[in-house]
Amino acid sequence: MTQENIYKQQRLEKAGRLIEAGINPYNNRLHPEHVASDLREKYEPLTGEELEGVTEDFSIAGRVIAIRSFGKAGFIKLRDRTGEFQIFTQKGKMGEQGDVVLKNTEVGDFLHVAGKLFRTKTNELTLRVEKLNIITKAIEQLPEKWHGLTDVETRYRQRYVDMIANPEVKEVFKKRSQIVSFIRRYFEEKDFLEVETPMMQAIPGGAKARPFMTHHNALDLDLYLRIAPELYLKRLVVGGLERVFEVNRNFRNEGISTQHNPEFTMLEFYMAYATYEDLINLTQDLLNQLAITVCGSEIVGYQGKEISFQKPFARYTLVESLEKHLGYTKEQTIDRAFLLNECDKHHFEVKNKDTIDLGIIQILLFEELVEKQLISPTFITHYPTSVSPLSRRNDEDGSVTDRFELFIFGREIANAFSELNDPVDQKERFMKQVKERESGDDEAMYMDEDFVTALEYGMPPTAGEGIGIDRLVMLLTDQPSIRDVILFPVLRPDK
RNA sequence: GAGGCGCUAGCUCAGUCGGUAGAGCACCGCCCUUUUAAGGCGGGUGUCCUGGGUUCGAAUCCCAGGCGCCUCACCA
C-alpha cells in the first residue's frame, strides 16, 4: 500500500482549488435539517404533481456514494445514518459557488445540500439542489461499487472502510447493540443491579485460563487482566447485592480462531436464593425472547441450518448425553476401562491413565464426540466436581455438581451453576487447583484467600451464570467468525 | 505452536512455457439536462508483500521472512 498515491494527490489538488475559490472543504457550520428517512417517510407517498405543491425547502447532508453526471446536470446519491437519498444537480442553479463545488466533488466526499423535492422520470423521490456545499473532502479513494471491499484483512484492519463499502456490516453491529441493550433491560426488570468489577486483578480467578500480565509502576505491582469477574461478583453477593450482573470484557492469553478472540465480552450474573435449575428456566426464556426481539422469530437461520429457540430446550446430564449420542449403556458410562478404551479407539491422548478421574474421562469423550452434535440449544447438567472448582456439589451425588452448560451449534454458549458457598470446601478445592498448578497445569486456578474469607462471612445460596456475548451475537446475526461480530478484532500489526 | 492456501493498480481480479504488466470499476481530459453499475471518445496512474538466490532475463522457479484466511492444537 503506497503512502502517497496519485489519486490522493489529485484529491488534495481538488481541495486546494476549493480553498482558492474561498470554499472551506472542511466546513462545520452547515447542519442538515433532515435525514434521508424523514424525507422518505413523509414524501414517498406523494405523487410528482402533489410534490409540486410542496414549497418547503429541505436540507440533508451525507457521504457521496455515487455520481452520475450529464455535463450540465447530474444525479448524486448521498448516504446518511438513516439511509440513502438521491439529489439532482444543475449547473448555474446551485448558489454562488455550487458549480465549483460540484466540479471538485467525488465519491467519498460529504455534501450539504438544500432544495425542493420532486420526482424524476423514473419516479424516484429526489432533491433538486438549490444550494450545494462541500463539508468534508475525502482524500482517500473508496473501494469500487460492484464488488465492494472483500479482502478480509483490510476489512478488519480498516473497519471504517469496511462499513462504508459494505453497509450491511453496520447492521450486524446494530443488532449486537440491540442484543446487549435487551439483556440489560431484561436483568434490570428482574431487579438485578449492573456493576463493574476490576479488569486488573492481582490474582486472576474465576476460570481456568492463561491470563495476560501487566505491571503497575507506582505500586511496583504485577497485575493480570481478568479472565473472569466471577470471584468479585460473588463478593458482592456476600455484601448484600443479591442480584448483580456485569457485561464486559474478559481477556485470555490463548489461541485465536473463528470462535476465540483474546478479549471477548461476557455476561455474568448472580442471583441469591436461586439454583442452577432456576437459571435453566431464565436462560431459555432470555434466549427465546432475544431471538424473537432481534430476529423476529424463535427459529433462527444460522449458516444454512435452522436453530430453534422454542422452549423448553433439550436437557441431559453429562452421562445421559454419552448414552444418547454415543450409544453407551448406563454401565459403560461409568466403566473406566471401557471409557479409556473408547478414548484409544478415537485416538485421544489421555495423560495419567491410572489416576485420571472418571469425570475427566467422561468430559473428554463429551467434548470430543458429543459437543459438535448439539446443534439445537441443549443443556448439559451434572458436571464432575473435579472440573468444577467453584460449583456446589449435588446433594445426592457429591462427585458431580449442580452445574450446566448450554450448547448451541456445537458451541458452548453458557456456563452456570449453583455456587459453592461452603468456605471449607472452597478452600480445599482451591488447594487442589494449586496442586495441579504446581504439577504443571498453568491454567489451574490460584488460591484466593480473600475470596475464601468472603465466603466465611456467609454467602446466601446463589446461582450464577456466564454467557459468551460474542458467540451469541454470531448465532443471532448468522456470522461465521467471531471477528465478524467484533468491531476491531485482534490482528498482528501491519508491517 | 503445526499444516494448507493466499498476497499483482485505489477496489475486484487476469497474467500461458521465465521474455520485462493488464481488464472492469474508480480516477484524469473531452462530449452529454432525468440517471439507477448512465453512455460515448481518449489516457494506465504499479515497491507484482519483503529480502536473498538461480538466470542473459523473475510477478512467474528456489530459499528465508512478513501478514492474512482455513484446518488442527489450546480454550469460552
Side-chain angles (χ1 to χ4, degrees), chain A residues 1-8 140 495:
Chain A
M1 217 169 290
T2 25
Q3 282 299 306
E4 285 296 330
N5 59 52
I6 183 98
Y7 309 104
K8 196 190 277 189
E140 286 283 359
K495 284 160 201 169

Side-chain angles (χ1 to χ4, degrees), chain A residues 340-350 364 368-369:
Chain A
L340 282 170
N341 189 46
E342 286 291 300
C343 288
D344 279 350
K345 222 163 85 185
H346 293 95
H347 312 292
F348 312 149
E349 196 193 338
V350 182
L364 193 66
E368 293 289 339
L369 301 174

Side-chain angles (χ1 to χ4, degrees), chain A residues 79 143-152 154-156 158-173:
Chain A
R79 182 195 289 157
E144 64 134 311
K145 56 192 168 188
W146 301 359
H147 306 89
L149 178 69
T150 59
D151 179 70
V152 286
T154 309
R155 289 188 49 223
Y156 297 147
Q158 296 181 277
R159 186 65 93 177
Y160 43 93
V161 182
D162 185 28
M163 291 192 295
I164 298 165
N166 305 311
E168 67 279 7
V169 169
K170 285 187 289 192
E171 299 309 312
V172 171
F173 291 99

Side-chain angles (χ1 to χ4, degrees), chain A residues 426-478:
Chain A
Q426 181 67 78
K427 184 153 191 174
E428 280 167 11
R429 303 232 210 142
F430 272 141
M431 297 297 283
K432 191 156 175 272
Q433 289 291 314
V434 169
K435 272 201 190 118
E436 285 178 20
R437 170 163 286 278
E438 281 164 357
S439 62
D441 181 357
D442 55 2
E443 285 174 6
M445 292 181 185
Y446 293 80
M447 165 65 71
D448 189 332
E449 297 277 5
D450 180 71
F451 177 68
V452 174
T453 302
L455 293 187
E456 287 170 355
Y457 278 88
M459 181 172 80
T462 298
E465 176 165 347
I467 298 181
I469 296 300
D470 312 275
R471 289 182 179 178
L472 184 60
V473 173
M474 285 167 70
L475 292 172
L476 297 178
T477 56
D478 195 17

